[in-house]
Amino acid sequence: MFKKFTEKEAVTGTSQLKSSAIRNLRQNFLQLYPHVEPYMDEIWPKKDNVKLVKCQEHIELIASQTGEILFFKHRDGPLLPTLRILHKYPFILPWMQVDKGAIRFVLSGANIMCPGLTSPGGKMSKVEKDMPVLIVAEGKEHALGIGLTKMSSDDIKKINKGIGIDIIHFLNDGLWQMKVIK
């Protein structure tokens, strides 16, 4: 989604959100990720003014008053944290670990195949189909990307072929390279 994403070409408009809209977004985020509530004020302070950045291809970014991109959303999909947020708070999303052989493919934006998750270096959290997951690599400290599961973790183990996770956002993609929104 963000492979060829650049601020100059993709961003179509920026607007300040009203406090009621900010409250609704925070509530929606807490409904999706209730276990994050104790850390919510650190991630997204209540009094923080928030900008909504509209982009091409129905992508919306939520940025703090300092311009740091906190979350993103595609069409009517879930509000997802960026990798920068997930590096600070990796427990927000369930994680899937790929083996060492998949690292270079993930970093180039390739979807994750089932054998990369079921091999000896791969590990999986128990998740359902179409769930957002954090992608980590065998032997690495920080996450490589965020994806949506194409199958449940049980089906990935059973079928063991085809695409297991669609990659959405990964290290060094266009969203990662956007530092701040002015």
Side-chain angles (χ1 to χ4, degrees), residues 6-176:
T6 61
E7 185 175 358
K8 289 179 182 175
E9 296 173 10
V11 174
T12 58
T14 304
S15 62
Q16 192 74 30
L17 285 176
K18 293 181 180 179
S19 59
S20 59
I22 294 170
R23 223 177 5 260
N24 286 338
L25 281 172
R26 282 176 61 96
Q27 287 174 347
N28 289 344
F29 187 76
L30 286 173
Q31 284 176 345
L32 288 170
Y33 314 105
H35 58 282
V36 179
E37 191 166 5
Y39 305 94
M40 193 61 181
D41 287 335
E42 292 174 35
I43 298 169
W44 187 352
K46 275 186 182 175
K47 300 293 182 193
D48 199 6
N49 290 326
V50 177
K51 299 176 195 172
L52 175 67
V53 181
K54 293 200 176 211
C55 303
Q56 294 176 350
E57 299 181 29
H58 305 282
I59 296 171
E60 294 179 345
L61 307 175
I62 307 295
S64 69
Q65 67 187 23
T66 60
E68 179 188 9
I69 301 167
L70 303 172
F71 307 101
F72 65 94
K73 180 177 159 179
H74 185 250
R75 293 192 189 267
D76 294 330
L79 191 62
L80 297 169
T82 62
L83 271 175
R84 292 187 192 282
I85 294 294
L86 289 171
H87 282 177
K88 295 175 193 170
Y89 307 97
F91 55 84
I92 294 175
L93 294 176
W95 58 273
M96 304 287 237
Q97 180 175 304
V98 295
D99 61 10
K100 288 181 180 178
I103 295 172
R104 70 180 187 153
F105 297 107
V106 173
L107 291 177
S108 66
N111 291 325
I112 298 167
M113 307 304 281
C114 292
L117 296 165
T118 58
S119 68
K123 294 179 185 170
M124 293 187 284
S125 297
K126 188 161 180 66
V127 294
E128 296 301 315
K129 181 181 178 186
D130 296 323
M131 290 289 297
V133 292
L134 181 66
I135 301 159
V136 296
E138 175 185 12
K140 301 296 177 191
E141 182 180 343
H142 292 292
L144 296 177
I146 300 170
L148 280 176
T149 55
K150 297 296 284 177
M151 306 178 220
S152 69
S153 53
D154 294 334
D155 288 344
I156 290 172
K157 287 177 189 171
K158 241 186 300 186
I159 298 169
N160 201 22
K161 66 177 165 183
I163 297 172
I165 302 172
D166 268 341
I167 194 100
I168 298 173
H169 172 33
F170 56 95
L171 284 177
N172 221 14
D173 67 359
L175 182 59
W176 175 263

